[in-house]
Amino acid sequence: MKLRSYMLIGFFLSLLLSIVPFSGNFTNAATPTTAAPVSAVSFTQGVQKTVLDNGLTVLTKEVHTAPVVSVQVWYKVGSRNEVKGENGISHQLEHLMFKGTTDRPVQFGRLFSALGSQFNAFTSYDQTAYFGTVQRDKLEALLTLEADRMENSLIGPDQLTSEKRVVISELQGYENSPGYRLSRAVMRDAFPNRAYGLPVGGTKADVEKFTVEQVRNYYQTYYSPENATLVITGDFATEPVLKVVKETYGKLAKRAKTAVAKNSAQVTAPTSAAKKAPIILKQPGSAALLQAVYPLPDIKHPDVPAIDVMDAILTGGRSSRLYQALVESGFASSVSGGAAELIEPGWYEINATAAPGQELGKIAQVLQESLAKLQQQPVTTEELNRAKTQLQASFILGNQDITSQASQLGYNQTVAGDYRFIEQYLAAIAKVTPAQVQQAAKTYLNPAKQTIGFFEPTQPDGKPGASSAGSGRTVENFSPGKPVDPAELAKYLPPATSATDSGKQSLPEEFTLNNGLRVLLLRDRNLPTINLSGQIDAGTEFDGNQKAGLANLTAANLMNGTQTKNALTLAKTLEDRGADLNFSTSREGVSVSGEGLSANLPILIQTLADVLENATFPADQLELSRQRALTSLKVQLDDPRGLGRQVFQQAIYPENHPFHSFPTAESLKSITRDDLLGFYQTHYRPDSTTIALVGDFDPLKVKLLLYQAFGKWSATGKPPFLKIPSVPLPQTLTRLNKVIPGKSEAVTYIGYNGISRKDPRYYAALVLNQILGGDTLSSRLGTEVRDRQGLTYGIYSAFATGINPGPFLIQMQTAPGDAQKAIASTLALLKQLREQGVTESEFNTAKRSITNSYPVDLANPSDVSSIILNNAVLGLSRSEIREFPQKIQAVTMAQMQQAIEDLIKPENLIIVTVGPGDTVTKGS
């Protein structure tokens, strides 16, 4: 089951690597008795729809919970509109929309970044959307920029040539994934005569052939006011903003239509009398995969609510039928599903990853038996109510921030044709009956209409191939262009009013229970939701090489049973109420994340207390989680990003360092139940645990609840403490190359050990990083390596700071033949930065960009709970959440130059490239 944070189903291609607009493992939910319908009326209440004379639909919704606004433009065009030979043209155009306009011939990412906008874009089957969220004083500026590129985008030979390379790099990056390759084969077979059967991003063959005229015609045809919806949500007054919209967008002309009418044969769902044979891909890879696809009707069909309830019963959380039949039985290490209900008839898909040693044919058989059972017997009242609550709670939890609310409105208007669609949808969900679910299963899960595919990896153990160390020589010596002058940029920026004061942010209340458990509470009455963040000092730094994976396995088994509840009962306790609780491990701790409706806070707290105090680690569940960990390890070693990060980390930190250890098949197999119990008893302690809660609650009641739930939890002695040794920089520039057969793109990591969060240079380092590579479109690295040379889909830099120093790193994805050019350009930029420093104008722009975007983080309650928690764990004051922007603004140019001198060392870099094997220049 997939979370539709804005009901976006289908395969997304986002412009930037760092954003994925929907998640595949959402809030599990349900109720034990009856599902109370969730009203969507309050969501659409206050939405004003205005249609301009030129046909532009404008949706405005005032949300005065934070001083930010979201501006989104949704065009009703996606891969569905592409004809033969132009697969991927919608996505190519999305990239070109950032290359500037006739009046502003400058990378739009730089303009958005200068405004402090958190921005992105994506292309899907039915729509292409552009979105930015900013402080409220930048609203008019965002509107101006979006209107400009609706009509005046620069689509010329230079822009198309460089961005074609970027798009091909992106597509080749997807080719690294066996799941992508399997899905492409299955979809082509399921929909041989329809655009939905082709990949949204396109094919390399078609992208290479796009002409300027072709892309320009597509732009002229579809990027027209009457084919677009402008959505504005947030802290503004409707009437003055509509006046600005009419002035800015009203003058844009409708365009003449030249779109080809599609014949109806293209939209007929495939029907076949006999069951098709499976598609079998035998290629290099790691885990065995299964994907099954079934045709569905379009989004307006009356069966859609029953189909979604059916999906929740099949794949919604641990208590779901397919999880129990495939994962709990040990056949699969994961299973997921989702319905793509679109403008034209869509599909339902089920994906499974085989557990080690399990046959895909057997998984397909068990899957078919589960689907047949759903067709033959009505679902139980308990299952039905759980599924309904799951869908309803996910809607509320997925719309806590104004960006998501704008996206929900944009999606409903564009794909369903009515922003109020969500009202009738949720009302219909509440009325779905067992008979309707059974009928949906009979109608749509027909074996004769199924298209199924198997990915069978040809590498026996998912082991990477050979590796080599280069001498550090490169053939080309790229000299970077001069850094773009922000003063030059400023003349293209629309005016913005004065900045918003961030000093009004409420501070959390902090207290400590008698047993040492730290708690931070921040009441937020804007929505009936709870966001919980926590950390337990039980991270992988305590593993050691011999038992690498122990911290992970311990955290993964917490929800597998306590002294009073087994795994299924624990899952149902949360899923019956629309709540979710997850544990994930990092170097320095185990992260706890929980969310739910505020009425269910007691259940969330009691469940958390139960698993932290009373976990039993059943032996059978340990074996299943070990098998899943072994599958994950194979997948990681088969992914250039995963293997690259491991090789990079282990090159920085010596073998005896706590940050060196990574799980191996041998270490995972050696871990016993006694190891888990010992680790749990040693490291899971109240005085090693911090919890932050943000949401709609009464602080006094919450305190009482916490004392009742955690008051008896105790620990003896002092908590374990690791003194992390300091790590010197490498003596010379070091290169490592790893080969993974069957990949199409290379991933490169460049860097060395960096600083901790409490390092006095931290704020200067953040400003420095913003200039260097904090954003793939507006930074020096992005401007040179991505934008000017078109060598990479994405390039970023970051200081991974924690309680202890983490790596400074630069990451990029390139075509194998472009890796050396991109590395050479990066080294030249680092040398330029070291020798020439930064300009005053760049420095001030970077500081403004960071401080202007910070209020957007504070507008999302989920982000606020994470920020509060991290500040506490890192030993910062409670007021850091309020003072952070001032600390950025207080950075001086002298501090910046010192940070460059201390932290940028081009001659001491470790460079790791992982890819298909032809990334190393001959003779180097």
Side-chain angles (χ1 to χ4, degrees), residues 1 12 32 34 138 373 459 632 636 647 683 713-714 717 752 834 871 897 906:
M1 179 170 185
F12 268 80
T34 57
K138 313 294 189 303
K373 188 178 174 188
Q459 279 165 270
S632 292
Q636 183 190 330
V647 172
H683 297 286
W713 191 21
S714 62
Y752 35 65
R834 174 84 193 186
N871 288 346
Q897 300 297 9

Side-chain angles (χ1 to χ4, degrees), residues 474-480 789 820-821 824-825 827-829 831:
T474 51
V475 176
E476 301 92 346
N477 183 18
F478 284 88
S479 58
Q789 297 185 43
Q820 293 308 317
K821 294 179 198 170
S825 297
L827 295 183
L829 278 162
K831 284 175 186 159

Side-chain angles (χ1 to χ4, degrees), residues 156-318:
D158 293 347
Q159 290 85 1
L160 183 58
T161 301
S162 78
E163 215 55 31
K164 264 190 192 182
R165 286 188 78 171
V166 171
V167 166
I168 288 167
S169 168
E170 179 182 355
L171 297 181
Q172 295 296 93
Y174 295 128
E175 292 288 334
N176 281 351
S177 161
Y180 173 83
R181 303 200 298 270
L182 176 64
S183 180
R184 185 180 54 196
V186 169
M187 290 296 288
R188 277 182 177 162
D189 195 70
F191 303 106
N193 303 312
R194 294 183 53 200
Y196 283 166
L198 296 171
V200 170
T203 57
K204 185 181 175 188
D206 278 5
V207 170
E208 282 174 336
K209 292 193 203 114
F210 291 151
T211 63
V212 170
E213 184 185 29
Q214 198 180 4
V215 180
R216 212 178 268 156
N217 285 344
Y218 200 79
Y219 172 64
Q220 293 288 343
T221 301
Y222 291 108
Y223 279 56
S224 184
E226 78 280 9
N227 200 45
T229 298
L230 170 67
V231 188
I232 309 164
T233 56
D235 194 15
F236 64 92
T238 302
E239 288 314 311
V241 165
L242 278 178
K243 186 168 177 284
V244 172
V245 167
K246 285 168 184 168
E247 288 165 2
T248 313
Y249 289 81
K251 60 188 182 206
L252 303 181
K254 282 187 183 181
R255 308 232 180 103
K257 282 284 171 212
T258 55
V260 182
K262 299 171 76 175
N263 72 57
S264 58
Q266 283 184 295
V267 296
T268 312
T271 54
S272 47
K275 192 174 172 183
K276 292 194 281 190
I279 296 157
I280 298 174
L281 294 189
K282 293 190 177 185
Q283 296 173 359
S286 48
L289 309 173
L290 172 150
Q291 181 176 23
V293 165
Y294 304 84
L296 284 186
D298 64 70
I299 192 168
K300 292 184 181 175
H301 195 281
D303 287 349
V304 160
I307 291 166
D308 286 355
V309 172
M310 173 190 81
D311 170 42
I313 288 166
L314 285 173
T315 66
R318 187 167 189 169

Side-chain angles (χ1 to χ4, degrees), residues 655-894:
E655 202 167 321
N656 60 352
H657 195 284
F659 288 6
H660 181 91
S661 74
F662 278 81
T664 62
E666 293 70 33
S667 71
L668 287 171
K669 287 172 184 172
S670 77
I671 293 168
T672 65
R673 180 171 177 271
D674 283 345
D675 291 329
L676 260 67
L677 279 167
F679 192 88
Y680 176 67
Q681 285 154 4
T682 304
H683 297 286
Y684 283 72
R685 309 163 48 107
D687 52 359
S688 298
T689 303
T690 308
I691 294 170
L693 278 169
V694 174
D696 183 17
F697 53 72
D698 178 334
L700 287 174
K701 287 181 182 172
V702 172
K703 283 182 190 175
L704 184 62
L705 186 63
L706 290 164
Y707 278 109
Q708 287 169 343
F710 291 103
K712 291 178 185 164
W713 191 21
S714 62
T716 52
K718 290 191 171 176
F721 175 74
L722 268 183
K723 183 158 173 52
I724 305 285
S726 59
V727 174
L729 291 181
Q731 292 296 301
T732 56
L733 188 140
T734 307
R735 293 199 171 217
L736 298 165
N737 297 288
K738 292 275 181 186
V739 175
I740 307 181
K743 300 302 169 190
S744 1
E745 281 285 277
V747 172
T748 297
Y749 290 91
I750 301 174
Y752 35 65
N753 193 37
I755 58 173
S756 71
R757 174 61 178 85
K758 288 183 92 171
D759 190 296
R761 298 165 295 186
Y762 172 76
Y763 300 99
L766 271 192
V767 179
L768 164 61
N769 187 69
Q770 181 69 19
I771 294 167
L772 176 64
D775 181 305
T776 198
L777 293 183
S778 65
S779 62
R780 283 194 182 187
L781 286 169
T783 300
E784 179 66 23
V785 184
R786 184 198 193 277
D787 218 39
R788 191 174 78 80
Q789 297 185 43
L791 293 174
T792 175
Y793 167 50
I795 183 165
Y796 300 91
S797 64
F799 286 91
T801 60
I803 295 167
N804 298 288
F808 161 70
L809 73 162
I810 296 167
Q811 178 188 352
M812 65 179 113
Q813 168 190 309
T814 59
D818 287 341
Q820 293 308 317
K821 294 179 198 170
I823 291 167
S825 297
T826 300
L827 295 183
L829 278 162
L830 289 172
K831 284 175 186 159
Q832 181 190 63
L833 181 62
R834 174 84 193 186
E835 289 160 10
Q836 299 171 22
V838 300
T839 66
E840 193 80 38
S841 179
E842 263 187 309
F843 175 63
N844 291 328
T845 300
K847 290 204 291 187
R848 269 200 309 275
S849 179
I850 295 169
T851 55
N852 284 345
S853 75
Y854 185 64
V856 180
D857 293 328
L858 300 184
N860 186 334
S862 175
D863 289 347
V864 171
S865 74
S866 298
I867 292 168
I868 289 170
L869 174 81
N870 289 336
N871 288 346
V873 167
L874 291 162
L876 306 169
S877 84
R878 281 186 306 134
S879 56
E880 175 69 18
I881 191 169
R882 186 184 281 173
E883 294 166 359
F884 173 79
Q886 286 80 28
K887 290 181 179 176
I888 292 290
Q889 285 297 355
V891 174
T892 64
M893 186 57 109

Side-chain angles (χ1 to χ4, degrees), residues 31-183:
T31 59
T33 48
T34 57
V38 171
S39 169
V41 176
S42 61
F43 177 77
T44 54
Q45 204 168 12
V47 176
Q48 186 170 323
K49 180 180 175 183
T50 309
V51 181
L52 304 190
D53 292 343
N54 59 10
L56 178 72
T57 299
V58 184
L59 300 176
T60 51
K61 182 186 179 185
E62 293 183 29
V63 186
H64 300 290
T65 54
V68 297
V69 289
S70 189
V71 172
Q72 306 192 1
V73 181
W74 289 64
Y75 294 95
K76 192 174 178 177
V77 60
S79 59
R80 175 181 74 92
N81 303 85
E82 296 164 2
V83 297
K84 193 174 180 190
E86 61 176 33
N87 181 213
I89 196 167
S90 306
H91 175 232
Q92 181 70 72
L93 178 55
E94 175 218 311
H95 277 248
L96 287 165
M97 289 287 283
F98 284 85
K99 299 296 271 187
T101 63
T102 46
D103 287 344
R104 294 180 174 86
V106 61
Q107 166 57 256
F108 262 46
R110 296 180 67 82
L111 298 175
F112 292 135
S113 184
L115 290 172
S117 175
Q118 293 191 8
F119 67 95
N120 212 323
F122 68 83
T123 305
S124 193
Y125 297 98
D126 293 337
Q127 72 275 4
T128 308
Y130 302 82
F131 48 101
T133 303
V134 290
Q135 289 188 86
R136 62 185 169 210
D137 58 295
K138 313 294 189 303
L139 170 58
E140 201 168 321
L142 264 194
L143 289 170
T144 303
L145 291 173
E146 287 297 354
D148 189 15
R149 64 177 175 173
M150 184 180 279
E151 186 167 72
N152 305 310
S153 275
L154 278 178
I155 301 170
D158 293 347
Q159 290 85 1
L160 183 58
T161 301
S162 78
E163 215 55 31
K164 264 190 192 182
R165 286 188 78 171
V166 171
V167 166
I168 288 167
S169 168
E170 179 182 355
L171 297 181
Q172 295 296 93
Y174 295 128
E175 292 288 334
N176 281 351
S177 161
Y180 173 83
R181 303 200 298 270
L182 176 64
S183 180

